[in-house]
Amino acid sequence: MRDFQLFSDQMKLRRSTRAFAPVPVDDELIKSALEIANNAPSGANLQPWFFSVISDPEVKKELRTQAELIEVDFYLRRAPLEWKEKLEVLKTNHKKEFLTQASHLIVVFSRNFVETAKGREKAYFPLESTGLASGFLLCALAQAGLHTLTYTPKPASFLNQICQRERTDHPFLIIVVGHACRDYLPPLIEKKSLEQVAEFR
Ligand SMILES: Cc1cc2nc3c(=O)[nH]c(=O)nc-3n(C[C@H](O)[C@H](O)[C@H](O)COP(=O)(O)O)c2cc1C
């Protein structure tokens, strides 16, 4: 119970980070977190996910360049007014410095087809399963004392080319991982109360 209290306290402190210090994270720590994600439940236990882990500065730079091209189009042209209003509190814009500042970028793919002992088979509930694995990964990274941002450029198909994944692997999200800048303060946001999101019958 004491361990659970500690887990609960730590997870309540987790916040998305959008400014990272230039401090490298050991690949082994990322691997341990991925082992936890890979143990998430999945439809028919098919584990329809793939994690491309990027720490090469040149690859991060290329990913940022391509992402910012998409973001300029989003912020200047495609974003509906009400979406932009919601983003104001987060103070986000088309610049994505965190993509080159952070130690690792974990590009999470959701797979429609998986390799099994019988060959190539259709995956069941790939999005639900990949969402759960991503949640496990975020929890694991937080428990490892790391900071993260869930980042979702749209369209995201450029990630297939950067990570050299086939088209049946769908870019799901990017988990940006590292250590927050020393003076980083997350935006002031409110969370709904438990009464608003849960009921007991
Ligand atoms: C599916 C998903 C997509 C997200 N996409 C982005 C994104 O593209 N850019 C960004 O800055 N934050 C993104 N976020 C982070 C959310 O803005 C953040 O989780 C939310 O504001 C709550 O803040 P917190 O994580 O600090 O609790 C995303 C989060 C989720 C779960």
Side-chain angles (χ1 to χ4, degrees), residues 14-16 18 90 92 149-152 189 191:
R14 181 219 57 84
R15 292 295 314 278
S16 291
R18 295 183 179 82
L90 302 179
T92 57
L149 174 67
T150 308
Y151 174 55
T152 46
I189 54 170
K191 298 280 179 178

Side-chain angles (χ1 to χ4, degrees), residues 3-198:
D3 287 349
F4 179 67
Q5 192 56 53
L6 198 61
F7 175 77
S8 168
D9 292 345
Q10 284 172 341
M11 290 314 296
K12 283 182 194 158
L13 286 176
R14 181 219 57 84
R15 292 295 314 278
S16 291
T17 296
R18 295 183 179 82
F20 290 84
V23 178
V25 172
D26 194 334
D27 277 349
E28 290 306 313
L29 202 51
I30 303 284
K31 266 190 210 163
S32 301
L34 287 171
E35 295 277 5
I36 293 169
N38 196 34
N39 195 38
S42 62
N45 193 32
L46 288 175
Q47 298 168 274
W49 46 67
F50 191 85
F51 305 98
S52 275
V53 183
I54 301 172
S55 57
D56 181 330
E58 284 306 311
V59 184
K60 286 194 279 188
K61 203 166 138 198
E62 175 60 16
L63 195 155
R64 176 179 168 187
T65 302
Q66 295 206 36
E68 286 185 340
L69 285 176
I70 285 164
E71 296 291 357
V72 166
D73 190 47
F74 174 76
Y75 279 91
L76 299 185
R77 280 183 284 278
R78 283 185 294 121
L81 195 59
E82 71 261 27
W83 192 340
K84 272 202 210 163
E85 280 169 8
K86 295 230 166 46
L87 289 176
E88 260 167 33
V89 63
L90 302 179
K91 299 190 172 61
T92 57
N93 58 35
H94 66 277
K95 291 205 203 93
K96 302 297 172 190
E97 285 105 335
F98 53 75
L99 292 173
T100 44
Q101 287 171 336
S103 173
H104 288 70
L105 307 177
I106 305 178
V107 185
V108 182
F109 289 89
S110 184
R111 318 185 90 168
N112 281 349
F113 294 91
V114 289
E115 294 301 327
T116 71
K118 289 185 184 160
R120 192 174 165 85
E121 289 194 281
K122 184 179 164 325
Y124 300 105
F125 300 107
L127 296 179
E128 293 84 346
S129 304
T130 309
L132 285 166
S134 302
F136 272 46
L137 182 53
L138 288 173
C139 288
L141 293 166
Q143 287 297 308
L146 297 169
H147 299 108
T148 58
L149 174 67
T150 308
Y151 174 55
T152 46
K154 284 277 169 326
S157 48
F158 71 96
L159 294 168
N160 287 74
Q161 171 246 319
I162 287 185
C163 302
Q164 299 172 1
R165 303 306 310 166
E166 55 184 286
R167 285 160 64 99
T168 48
D169 288 351
H170 292 292
F172 188 65
L173 39 81
I174 300 174
I175 298 182
V176 182
V177 190
H179 293 282
C181 281
R182 195 187 270 263
D183 55 354
Y184 181 72
L185 279 179
L188 282 175
I189 54 170
E190 278 182 23
K191 298 280 179 178
K192 289 176 188 167
S193 69
L194 198 56
E195 289 69 34
Q196 289 173 288
V197 300

